[in-house]
Amino acid sequence: MVSSNSSIMPTSPPSAIEFRQALGQFATGVTVVTAERAPGQVHGMTASSFASVSLDPPLILVCVDHRAHMLAILQKQKRFGISILKEHQQKISKFFAQPEQDPAEEKELGIGFRWTPSGIPLLENTLVQLGCHVAAAHVSGDHTVFIGEVESAELHSGAPLLYCRGGYQRLAPLL
Ligand SMILES: Cc1cc2nc3c(=O)[nH]c(=O)nc-3n(C[C@H](O)[C@H](O)[C@H](O)COP(=O)(O)O)c2cc1C
């Protein structure tokens, strides 16, 4: 049971729906993972499974679904960007959560990329841009956890886009 006032803990593992619903209560930011899919061409994937791992060395993680096109690209490329979205960028989040990305829509949304000197693509006009190389990859269930060592970090002004309970949210201070 997901919604229960009882203090008795369930003894069986949650169903997929219960698990999703429970984990959906955990508010996250929204990132776009970017990597070079062909010379000079970028593939992007929206990901909220981003987390910091270590300060020294600076490590982050992101979990990639085994059905995602991004999986093979990261396995090959070993370098990727993480761009943390700003609060008004939910259309960009939705765009990079689609299996096929239409170049006309990309243009309409004003999506642009910049490249680090080591060849990592990053999404322009985002809150934070991290250039990473793959330090480790762990297959865990139906996802692979990529640990990235951060080579470069840029912070820009603005507020973060949030994702919680299956919808986009924004920060609001507690009074
Ligand atoms: C807010 C949000 C967060 C997401 N987080 C992840 C994630 O952490 N890992 C993942 O593999 N897919 C995640 N997805 C789903 C992918 O963005 C989506 O399946 C995408 O089409 C996969 O891209 P690709 O197959 O073109 O690489 C998320 C989608 C949304 C809308």
Side-chain angles (χ1 to χ4, degrees):
M1 286 275 285
V2 163
S3 54
S4 168
N5 293 324
S6 147
S7 59
I8 302 165
M9 289 295 287
T11 51
S12 56
S15 68
I17 291 173
E18 287 169 340
F19 185 63
R20 263 174 175 261
Q21 210 178 349
L23 275 286
Q25 307 304 306
F26 188 63
T28 65
V30 182
T31 72
V32 176
V33 184
T34 43
E36 190 175 34
R37 70 176 150 85
Q41 294 191 351
V42 181
H43 182 71
M45 186 195 89
T46 300
S48 57
S49 59
F50 169 79
S52 66
V53 172
S54 157
L55 273 177
D56 185 17
L59 300 175
I60 55 88
L61 70 77
V62 65
C63 305
V64 177
D65 193 314
H66 289 168
R67 293 167 300 184
H69 298 107
M70 184 56 92
L71 180 71
I73 298 169
L74 288 188
Q75 284 168 337
K76 186 170 165 233
Q77 285 300 348
K78 308 280 188 206
R79 283 180 192 281
F80 62 97
I82 294 277
S83 300
I84 300 178
L85 297 184
K86 295 187 188 184
E87 65 179 3
H88 63 275
Q89 292 180 316
Q90 68 260 45
K91 281 189 183 162
I92 294 179
S93 169
K94 287 179 187 164
F95 177 77
F96 286 111
Q98 304 173 116
E100 301 299 329
Q101 293 154 11
D102 173 20
E105 194 186 349
E106 183 176 303
K107 203 173 166 201
E108 204 177 298
L109 289 171
I111 291 168
F113 301 101
R114 51 179 287 253
W115 295 76
T116 69
S118 63
I120 300 169
L122 290 158
L123 204 51
E124 281 181 330
N125 302 318
T126 48
L127 188 58
V128 171
Q129 298 163 2
L130 305 176
C132 310
H133 62 261
V134 176
H138 306 284
V139 175
S140 290
D142 56 10
H143 280 58
T144 291
V145 184
F146 286 94
I147 308 287
E149 179 155 0
V150 178
E151 297 178 1
S152 63
E154 270 189 44
L155 170 61
H156 301 274
S157 60
L161 176 64
L162 303 184
Y163 194 74
C164 188
R165 296 180 170 173
Y168 295 97
Q169 316 279 343
R170 65 156 64 97
L171 275 183
L174 285 172
L175 297 175

